[in-house]
Amino acid sequence: RKEVEQDPGPFNVPEGATVAFNCTYSNSASQSFFWYRQDCRKEPKLLMSVYSSGNEDGRFTAQLNRASQYISLLIRDSKLSDSATYLCVVPQRGGYNKLIFGAGTRLAVHP
Amino acid sequence: GAGVSQSPRYKVAKRGQDVALRCDPISGHVSLFWYQQALGQGPEFLTYFQNEAQLDKSGLPSDRFFAERPEGSVSTLKIQRTQQEDSAVYLCASSLERGGTEAFFGQGTRLTVV
């Protein structure tokens, strides 16, 4: 089993839709989690951090379920500019935060 | 700029050729990571430096891959005798602290082995 698993998508949604992605992880010792966004042929950039039960930033909400070992990302009122790949990231603890990435979920928002 | 800089942006190498990829992290960042990203996949960890010390090289796929950061700033990833399966985007990231959270990525070097 991979350490971080995501549904690759693609998720094709109309503007204004609400869309949710899930990510499961295997390392139960992980304490913090991240969602990174990667545009086509660009580098990953931090979107949100998730430290406890969840985090909300405008249209984006990230939630953590430790018992089931999954993290979710909810995007409300989707914009065309939200089209990207969303990478779930779990630091592997061991003296430093080695970031373990999922394969990413592709989102395409259409008019 | 103040971000992570990688060079070259694109590299085409003939199979068997040696290549060197450079990463200039954000000034003062202690941690430096190298990742390999194949098409349609997430970044895969290669190696980690804390200042000049290479503390984790568990992700390097073979002994043809070598990385260094001799003065604790600029890092070089070297691939000897390149193979077609080495074709990927190589991403460098840096973070401020040893246990730092947010990692800032460079734009990557796209390596194509022909």
Side-chain angles (χ1 to χ4, degrees):
Chain A
R1 181 186 171 189
K2 285 190 174 181
E3 291 185 71
V4 181
E5 295 201 65
Q6 295 182 251
D7 180 343
F11 285 65
N12 293 300
V13 302
E15 275 186 290
T18 295
V19 62
F21 311 135
N22 282 336
C23 166
T24 57
Y25 61 94
S26 59
N27 185 351
S28 60
S30 298
Q31 297 295 310
S32 57
F33 308 86
F34 306 98
W35 283 100
Y36 274 68
R37 171 191 169 131
Q38 187 172 28
D39 293 294
C40 188
R41 293 181 175 266
K42 299 287 188 180
E43 72 274 23
K45 292 184 179 179
L46 180 66
L47 177 67
M48 295 187 74
S49 306
V50 189
Y51 291 106
S52 55
S53 61
N55 191 14
E56 184 172 330
D57 183 5
R59 297 183 294 109
F60 297 82
T61 301
Q63 291 191 315
L64 169 62
N65 185 317
R66 288 189 190 276
S68 301
Q69 293 184 210
Y70 79 80
I71 313 133
S72 64
L73 178 67
L74 181 78
I75 305 175
R76 291 180 296 275
D77 188 24
S78 299
K79 311 291 185 191
L80 294 175
S81 57
D82 294 335
S83 298
T85 295
Y86 291 84
L87 298 162
C88 176
V89 184
V90 179
Q92 183 183 82
R93 294 181 66 82
Y96 67 97
N97 282 333
K98 180 164 81 174
L99 301 180
I100 306 300
F101 284 79
T105 298
R106 279 201 297 129
L107 171 65
V109 182
H110 57 82
Chain B
V4 178
S5 177
Q6 291 187 245
S7 61
R9 289 290 311 280
Y10 304 92
K11 176 69 179 178
V12 178
K14 291 185 177 178
R15 192 165 44 189
Q17 184 180 350
D18 296 350
V19 298
L21 313 180
R22 178 187 169 104
C23 172
D24 272 281
I26 295 172
S27 178
H29 276 199
V30 168
S31 296
L32 186 145
F33 303 83
W34 282 98
Y35 285 82
Q36 179 190 60
Q37 186 171 26
L39 191 64
Q41 299 297 314
E44 295 280 347
F45 172 80
L46 293 176
T47 187
Y48 164 73
F49 289 87
Q50 181 182 315
N51 295 308
E52 71 279 1
Q54 188 177 21
L55 299 186
D56 188 336
K57 53 182 181 180
S58 62
L60 296 177
S62 77
D63 58 7
R64 295 186 296 104
F65 287 71
F66 172 77
E68 61 182 4
R69 193 186 185 197
E71 297 178 359
S73 55
V74 171
S75 177
T76 303
L77 176 66
K78 297 179 180 178
I79 309 173
Q80 297 177 322
R81 305 181 303 281
T82 51
Q83 306 292 318
Q84 282 192 317
E85 62 263 27
D86 300 335
S87 296
V89 175
Y90 290 86
L91 292 162
C92 175
S94 70
S95 67
L96 183 59
E97 299 170 353
R98 181 182 69 86
T101 54
E102 182 175 6
F104 296 85
F105 283 82
Q107 290 185 298
T109 294
R110 184 175 298 274
L111 173 66
T112 303
V113 182
V114 298

